[in-house]
Amino acid sequence: MAHTRWLNDDEQRTWRAFLAANRLLMDTLDRQLQHEAGVPHTYYEILVRLSEVPDRALRMSQLAVSSMSSRSRLSHAVARLEETGWVRRRECPTDRRGAVCELTDAGFAALQAAAPGHVAAVRANLFDQLTPEQVVALREISEALATHLGGDGRWPLGENAG
């Protein structure tokens, strides 16, 4: 039987603070985007991913990896975004089994309208609460964790995925 390395008091406090901060920040950002743009944070991130690539289009498989979403969850989100006219799916020209998700002009306009409020919320609730040294430490810690957990520490994850 393996020996369990229990968290000491400092580690337990750190772990719980990390969980609380992460959940509270993401809930705050999600509420802001829902209120101001009418979309959850996960949908906003899909629009962002598409806006940052050539032709504003990605294979669904690449979009799932870069947005850290299961294919079924992504498919549901894309279907909802299609209903709003912000994205469209089309057949992949190089692989008839694959599908491509493309950001429409209306979706790009919606993203442009939502971005200032989202950036202000990120700034107010994260960066304005930290010293410049804490920002550097947070980036270094986050990159180390992302690398350990299967990424290369860069965002978006899976940008080189096929």
Side-chain angles (χ1 to χ4, degrees), residues 15-74:
W15 170 241
R16 290 181 180 178
F18 172 78
L19 284 178
N22 187 45
R23 288 179 184 165
L24 290 167
L25 177 61
M26 295 315 292
D27 286 350
T28 297
L29 296 177
D30 194 58
R31 277 194 312 278
Q32 177 272 323
L33 280 167
Q34 288 275 16
H35 176 72
E36 291 185 19
V39 296
H41 192 261
T42 54
Y43 292 15
Y44 178 84
E45 287 296 325
I46 291 168
L47 300 177
V48 169
R49 298 284 164 274
L50 293 171
S51 76
E52 294 176 338
V53 295
D55 301 323
R56 300 189 314 213
L58 274 175
R59 285 181 58 118
M60 289 288 287
S61 57
Q62 290 174 298
L63 188 55
V65 169
S66 75
S67 62
M68 295 187 296
S69 182
S70 70
R71 289 185 189 211
S72 62
R73 183 172 294 183
L74 176 69

Side-chain angles (χ1 to χ4, degrees), residues 29 32 36 114-126 128:
L29 296 177
Q32 177 272 323
E36 291 185 19
H118 178 65
V119 170
V122 169
R123 179 165 302 291
N125 293 290
L126 179 63
D128 290 351

Side-chain angles (χ1 to χ4, degrees), residues 65-96:
V65 169
S66 75
S67 62
M68 295 187 296
S69 182
S70 70
R71 289 185 189 211
S72 62
R73 183 172 294 183
L74 176 69
S75 184
H76 174 75
V78 168
R80 296 295 304 269
L81 289 168
E82 276 183 303
E83 291 171 10
T84 64
W86 292 355
V87 301
R88 73 175 141 260
R89 271 187 269 207
R90 55 183 165 80
E91 195 174 86
C92 180
T94 59
D95 177 6
R96 295 182 57 87

Side-chain angles (χ1 to χ4, degrees), residues 92-133:
C92 180
T94 59
D95 177 6
R96 295 182 57 87
R97 294 173 297 139
V100 172
C101 183
E102 179 181 12
L103 181 65
T104 64
D105 290 342
F108 189 70
L111 178 62
Q112 286 181 308
H118 178 65
V119 170
V122 169
R123 179 165 302 291
N125 293 290
L126 179 63
F127 294 105
D128 290 351
Q129 305 309 311
L130 304 174
T131 66
E133 296 78 17

